[in-house]
Amino acid sequence: NMQQQPILTAGEVLEILEKEALVHDESLSNDLKAIAKSHKLAFGRIDDPDLAVPLLNYCATYLRNKGIYVYFQIEEDGRSYVFIAGECGRVIEEVGKLADYLHDIWWFIETNKHKLPSEVVAEKEKLDVYETRLCEEVYFDLLDAYINNDKATIEAVLKEVPKLVAEVNDYLESIRYLQRIYWFEKSL
């Protein structure tokens, strides 16, 4: 489950797009280079949505049609995007979802702490620790290595991900009661 995708760097992804997807269109290739300038397409601002969004969609579709996973998302404000391909994209998206879930439970406790038992409120600390670890040890380290074309670091981080995710899942299993309260409250 953890190693289904090629380990690509941002530079390699750009190279695939420039040499394959956009090889016959110099204008679009130049547009992509302009969009990718700041962080090698991994993330950035969208200055011209009419140009950037269709081009990024085209690139994501091209890579997906080659069997390469693409974590592509336009942020809610429509002014920024995330575009990470290969195993880094898959792992960053999964870890991001897990960190968001931990944060949602943390926020649920925070907003209901006056009516929850103190031992439940105390779980906030562990939730915060795991959310921080997922962000710092996986998300940010992987993103930096991806942008910096640092395959050795990518491989080292990817080797540690399953252990941390298993640790987080074991923890979540231990607070299943809390998850049930959270889901119940959310469904009301």
Side-chain angles (χ1 to χ4, degrees), residues 88 92 133-148 150 153-154 156-158:
C88 288
I92 283 174
R133 285 186 63 199
L134 286 169
C135 289
E136 289 176 359
E137 294 173 27
V138 180
Y139 196 101
F140 296 133
D141 287 355
L142 211 47
L143 187 60
D144 285 347
Y146 177 79
I147 292 169
N148 294 319
D150 180 352
T153 300
I154 290 171
V157 172
L158 290 175

Side-chain angles (χ1 to χ4, degrees), residues 52-98:
V53 174
L55 182 53
L56 291 169
N57 273 319
Y58 171 79
C59 291
T61 301
Y62 180 85
L63 292 169
R64 288 173 181 145
N65 287 340
K66 288 181 65 78
I68 298 172
Y69 187 91
V70 180
Y71 172 39
F72 171 49
Q73 185 175 331
I74 293 179
E75 300 303 325
E76 288 169 19
D77 63 2
R79 296 320 246 143
S80 56
Y81 69 89
V82 175
F83 190 108
I84 305 168
E87 186 64 2
C88 288
R90 191 185 73 74
V91 170
I92 283 174
E93 183 174 21
E94 290 303 312
V95 165
K97 286 179 188 170
L98 188 54

